[in-house]
Amino acid sequence: MLAPIVMSEITEDHQTVTIRPPELGLGLQGRIQVPGDKSISHRALMLGSIAQGETQIEGLLLGEDPQSTAACFRAMGIEISALNSQQVRVQGLGLGQLQEPSEVLDAGNSGTTLRLMLGILASHPGRFFAITGDRSLRSRPMSRVVDPLGTMGASIWGRKGGTLAPLAVQGKVLRPIHYQSPIASAQVKSCILLAGLMTEGKTTVTEPALSRDHSERMLQAFGAELSVDPETHSVTITGPATLRGQSVVVPGDISSAAFWLVAGAIVPGSNLLIENVGVNPTRTGILEALDLMGAQVALENQRLVAGEPVADLRVQTSALKGCEIQGDLIPRLIDEIPILAVAAVFATGKTTIRDAAELRVKESDRIAVIASQLNRMGATITELPDGLEIIGGTPLVGTDVDSCTDHRIAMSLSIAALNASGATIIHRAEAAAVSYPNFLDTLREICKL
Ligand code: SPQ
């Protein structure tokens, strides 16, 4: 039998991975755990750094994105113990106490680090900060946070009128606003709420549909005065706040579990249990979409862990059918659309995904990249301005594909390769480490290597 996975290092630190499907009928089997939730990991490091006293974090994601967040806070004088998934200790200095860094802060590939951090930095009166990121992050739009922060009185400069990193921030005393966000974005909402922490009065953000609510939950747990109006999708924070260090338990990331849910559904003969996955309702759009497609996914052992709902997810091989995904469901599964596109390729009939234009400004243009790379393997996908139209049922054939340095694309193509004939060669596969450093180890484990 040919080994399903062969890795080979190539030039300039890029990794090429070759994946062949498992032997027919063997399927994917076993119990696995996914790494800590990326969104919660960032927020635990951030709130721990600006709260008074020690915060202990269990289950932190050790991916490159949270490493960037930790490095930024260390550069501003916060003591953070070595990152590990058992226990990380953050010695918070309290609100407004970050030191002016002597170097440019580097958010790496992480939009969450840069956008949330801007709210914290802009509200540090009298301090000057500069922040940048990698090539992908320097091309992502920042006006969505720079504009409302400007209305609060912030001073932020950058390329193209302050819309692109690198950005320079002169911390100021800000004024509260009621911001009507044109997009459902947890990064926009969280940035404004974090700026509101140090701002006297009530700062409110209203969004057109509910985005992930991890900031709201964690700010309340750290002691902020925060109210939520579910009818209008509005959140109000009253400043100045006092945050106190907490113990945070980070559940497994449903966005990482999504790869195994789709793998288990499409590879014949599979039965997989994914343990300890966060099932916060603002993140479970993937479960609803897979249900619409006829996937057999069961939630077992549902429980609450440190204020976040958690469950074990069991998936079995399923006959998938096409469906329509749009509207308010989109913000609740935005990061899972590349892997949902893979599911749709193996479904019968047509799947249409709309209202997802945001995908064009993620780590890559995820609409263009997932369509072009899966089409190279033989799929029938048409790009829409705000989504994808996928005609399922055409068999995939392994070929050369490229992650375009996007972690979610690298992993989605790896799962597609499990159900393609022959070998799929994935270039720039190292991108997976942004959110899932041991992705390939788990892939080997469930392919019984
Ligand atoms: O942090 P980053 O780079 O923006 O990461 C992504 C991802 O796929 O991991 C998006 F590309 O997740 C975002 C997500 O899309 C993480 C996030 C958060 O933690 O607040 C919110 C979402 O972004 P947005 O723009 O909808 O607020």
Side-chain angles (χ1 to χ4, degrees):
M1 180 183 125
L2 287 169
I5 307 170
V6 181
M7 286 166 50
S8 62
E9 296 292 329
I10 57 165
T11 52
E12 295 166 21
D13 293 334
H14 293 327
Q15 183 187 49
T16 301
V17 172
T18 304
I19 298 181
R20 296 187 183 87
E23 220 175 314
L24 206 64
L26 277 186
L28 308 175
Q29 306 284 339
R31 284 166 178 262
I32 52 173
Q33 297 212 332
V34 287
D37 186 282
K38 179 159 79 70
S39 296
I40 298 177
S41 295
H42 281 303
R43 287 156 173 83
L45 289 167
M46 288 184 184
L47 295 195
S49 297
I50 59 174
Q52 279 172 11
E54 184 174 285
T55 286
Q56 294 150 13
I57 312 169
E58 195 186 309
L60 187 88
L61 166 67
L62 304 180
E64 289 169 6
D65 274 11
Q67 308 253 15
S68 298
T69 293
C72 287
F73 281 101
R74 284 182 178 133
M76 294 186 287
I78 303 297
E79 243 181 72
I80 301 176
S81 65
L83 299 193
N84 65 72
S85 57
Q86 275 77 49
Q87 196 185 55
V88 173
R89 291 171 187 271
V90 183
Q91 306 299 337
L93 293 178
L95 279 172
Q97 300 304 314
L98 294 176
Q99 290 166 15
E100 213 172 57
S102 56
E103 287 180 9
V104 177
L105 299 171
D106 186 359
N109 188 246
S110 174
T112 308
T113 307
L114 181 39
R115 295 197 178 116
L116 269 59
M117 191 82 80
L118 281 177
I120 297 174
L121 304 183
S123 54
H124 262 71
R127 318 259 161 91
F128 184 83
F129 309 89
I131 185 161
T132 190
D134 70 6
R135 191 190 172 103
S136 153
L137 189 53
R138 292 195 308 271
S139 70
R140 291 174 68 184
M142 292 300 143
S143 47
R144 57 186 57 201
V145 288
V146 169
D147 290 351
L149 287 173
T151 312
M152 293 178 82
S155 294
I156 302 173
W157 300 269
R159 292 183 297 133
K160 300 251 163 82
T163 63
L164 293 177
L167 296 169
V169 183
Q170 175 71 67
K172 291 269 176 67
V173 174
L174 303 181
R175 51 182 173 271
I177 56 167
H178 182 161
Y179 185 59
Q180 304 269 357
S181 177
I183 45 173
S185 159
Q187 292 178 355
V188 171
K189 175 172 63 179
S190 306
C191 167
I192 307 303
L193 293 176
L194 289 169
L197 278 174
M198 288 269 287
T199 304
E200 177 116 26
K202 290 185 185 300
T203 297
T204 302
V205 185
T206 299
E207 50 183 351
L210 186 60
S211 64
R212 65 193 71 189
D213 68 356
H214 305 300
S215 294
E216 294 92 304
R217 286 173 189 247
M218 207 183 285
L219 279 165
Q220 276 173 324
F222 274 71
E225 195 185 323
L226 183 139
S227 63
V228 177
D229 180 351
E231 296 288 302
T232 59
H233 307 306
S234 299
V235 190
T236 300
I237 194 154
T238 305
T242 305
L243 302 184
R244 297 202 187 281
Q246 298 294 317
S247 282
V248 180
V249 182
V250 184
D253 197 328
I254 191 165
S255 297
S256 300
F259 299 108
W260 309 124
L261 290 175
V262 171
I266 64 173
V267 175
S270 298
N271 186 343
L272 272 179
L273 185 68
I274 312 154
E275 296 175 323
N276 188 37
V277 181
V279 286
N280 176 317
T282 61
R283 298 285 297 283
T284 48
I286 176 71
L287 301 181
E288 285 164 53
L290 286 175
D291 188 49
L292 283 174
M293 297 180 88
Q296 291 185 63
V297 177
L299 274 74
E300 299 177 2
N301 190 16
Q302 295 190 52
R303 60 223 187 253
L304 260 189
V305 179
E308 290 276 351
V310 171
D312 302 336
L313 306 179
R314 182 176 297 281
V315 60
Q316 297 181 57
T317 310
S318 317
L320 299 180
K321 56 181 192 294
C323 71
E324 289 189 7
I325 301 168
Q326 59 198 0
D328 286 4
L329 189 53
I330 295 294
R332 300 198 297 113
L333 51 62
I334 187 75
D335 297 337
E336 288 68 75
I337 291 176
I339 189 63
L340 267 175
V342 173
V345 164
F346 295 105
T348 51
K350 184 166 87 174
T351 295
T352 312
I353 301 170
R354 307 234 49 156
D355 304 322
E358 273 293 301
L359 287 177
R360 294 207 181 269
V361 289
K362 297 291 184 185
E363 286 83 327
S364 68
D365 176 343
R366 287 180 174 163
I367 292 177
V369 173
I370 198 68
S372 66
Q373 300 307 302
L374 289 175
N375 283 346
R376 282 178 67 80
M377 297 174 77
T380 310
I381 305 182
T382 309
E383 277 187 51
L384 305 173
D386 62 345
L388 297 161
E389 190 178 271
I390 302 156
I391 308 296
T394 333
L396 295 195
V397 180
T399 185
D400 277 72
V401 288
D402 187 354
S403 79
C404 296
T405 73
D406 185 325
H407 53 130
R408 302 211 188 275
I409 302 290
M411 293 184 276
S412 298
L413 294 173
S414 304
I415 301 302
L418 291 178
N419 231 15
S421 58
T424 302
I425 300 156
I426 302 163
H427 295 279
R428 299 195 272 182
E430 74 284 353
V434 158
S435 62
Y436 203 154
N438 58 345
F439 174 78
L440 287 178
D441 297 334
T442 303
L443 189 56
R444 279 198 202 89
E445 192 185 318
I446 61 175
C447 289
K448 288 198 240 67
L449 271 182

